[in-house]
Amino acid sequence: MPGYPSDRSRERPRFPARLDSVTPVPHQKNTLSVAGGVARDVPVGVGLDSGAVRQRMVAKLVQQGLTDARVQAALATVERHRFVDSALVNQGYEDTSLPIGLGQTISKPSVVARMLSLLLESGSAHLGRVLEIGTGCGYQAALLAQVCTEVYSMERLRGLHEKARDNLRPLRLANVHLLLGDGMLGYAKGAPYAGIIAAAGGQRIPDCWLDQLAVGGRLVAPVVSVGTQQALLVVDKTSDGIRQCLLEGVLFVPLKSGVA
Ligand code: SAH
């Protein structure tokens, strides 16, 4: 089967079935839960009322042009500080990318907002099934869960796949399926997708992504444009064929093949 490791026990998305036995971590003011449900003090600036900090982040993004109310609501809901390492929690709501381990980064909120807005632009009020390439720490998957019916999120690095699972577990998002596999092969089992979104940029868009996109669906991905520079590519699959649009320059980690 394309896009999936040989271990057949992993063929079906097991998330969230695995989570049934997990007790959700209650949201506690002034504290931040960490993996395993142990609470610790939050550094000044985020913990006292992280909802207000998120609202300020969203307000800034709105000033910069974010208009989609669904994206605004998702960004206001998902606690980004829970997806970054404890030493970086204070930067959780700054418009900056941050390291998430294994040489990878969580994208900056303005870029995430831009990509989600593009993904939702042409669709109905609530997008259907979406494939995300590059789960990373799971932040964008949590956002997608707010605005899509179902999210299939693939990560090629086992360490990050597991980190995302730990990060997402307390959120109990029944519509997110985390997959360990090479996203360059897509995930045919979940196809066709109303949307495909990639958080890593390659030289070109793999053909299978377009094959797995539904007619009427949209793909948003960074792609190498000139030299080593990347730009955002939007591809619409219509009954008349493929429509592509290359947008502004971006900086994403490289799309790599294989599982590691
Ligand atoms: N959306 C993520 C961003 C992660 S950075 C977040 O919110 O944190 C991009 C991720 O893409 C990295 O974790 C990298 O390992 C992953 N990646 C790169 N090539 C990939 C591939 N072929 N398949 C799946 N994941 C890939």
Side-chain angles (χ1 to χ4, degrees):
M1 181 195 42
Y4 221 77
S6 53
D7 177 358
R8 291 193 65 83
S9 68
R10 287 186 176 272
E11 279 190 6
R12 286 221 162 264
R14 291 188 295 178
F15 187 87
R18 282 229 213 130
L19 304 184
D20 291 348
S21 60
V22 176
T23 312
V25 179
H27 179 74
Q28 294 169 289
K29 261 201 162 174
N30 301 339
T31 61
L32 173 67
S33 66
V34 293
V38 183
R40 61 173 163 71
D41 290 339
V42 158
V44 179
V46 169
L48 288 178
D49 186 353
S50 74
V53 185
R54 269 192 305 287
Q55 286 295 353
R56 277 203 294 280
M57 175 185 80
V58 173
K60 276 190 201 157
L61 294 172
V62 168
Q63 275 173 11
Q64 291 164 24
L66 169 62
T67 54
D68 194 303
R70 297 161 293 181
V71 179
Q72 291 173 24
L75 287 164
T77 301
V78 179
E79 299 182 316
R80 190 172 186 259
H81 69 271
R82 292 179 188 268
F83 290 83
V84 300
D85 288 346
S86 51
L88 300 170
V89 160
N90 275 338
Q91 295 173 64
Y93 296 103
E94 288 173 16
D95 193 23
T96 175
S97 56
L98 294 169
I100 53 173
L102 302 177
Q104 308 303 316
T105 52
I106 181 175
S107 311
K108 57 186 200 172
S110 56
V111 171
V112 174
R114 169 79 168 139
M115 291 181 77
L116 292 183
S117 299
L118 286 167
L119 192 71
L120 294 171
E121 204 172 58
S122 60
S124 53
H126 204 75
L127 201 59
R129 203 160 50 236
V130 166
L131 175 66
E132 178 190 39
I133 314 294
T135 313
C137 65
Y139 173 66
Q140 185 172 272
L143 293 171
L144 286 167
Q146 314 295 314
V147 298
C148 310
T149 310
E150 235 179 323
V151 183
Y152 287 80
S153 181
M154 297 196 83
E155 173 57 55
R156 64 178 289 275
L157 297 177
R158 188 179 297 272
L160 286 176
H161 167 74
E162 287 169 359
K163 182 181 252 188
R165 205 178 52 203
D166 290 344
N167 286 340
L168 291 170
R169 183 177 287 121
L171 305 185
R172 297 176 71 85
L173 300 170
N175 60 341
V176 177
H177 310 286
L178 297 183
L179 307 159
L180 176 66
D182 182 358
M184 285 183 83
L185 305 172
Y187 183 62
K189 274 198 159 181
Y193 298 100
I196 298 181
I197 184 165
Q203 293 293 327
R204 55 188 295 275
I205 300 297
D207 290 341
C208 63
W209 292 2
L210 299 179
D211 295 342
Q212 292 173 21
L213 193 63
V215 173
R218 172 171 274 198
L219 180 153
V220 181
V223 71
V224 173
S225 52
V226 188
T228 55
Q229 282 173 15
Q230 296 172 338
L232 269 188
L233 180 69
V234 172
V235 181
D236 288 316
K237 186 166 173 178
T238 73
S239 48
D240 296 332
I242 297 292
R243 246 198 335 253
Q244 300 198 33
C245 190
L246 200 59
L247 302 171
E248 71 268 20
V250 282
L251 189 59
F252 279 82
V253 296
L255 184 71
K256 292 187 175 170
S257 59
V259 176

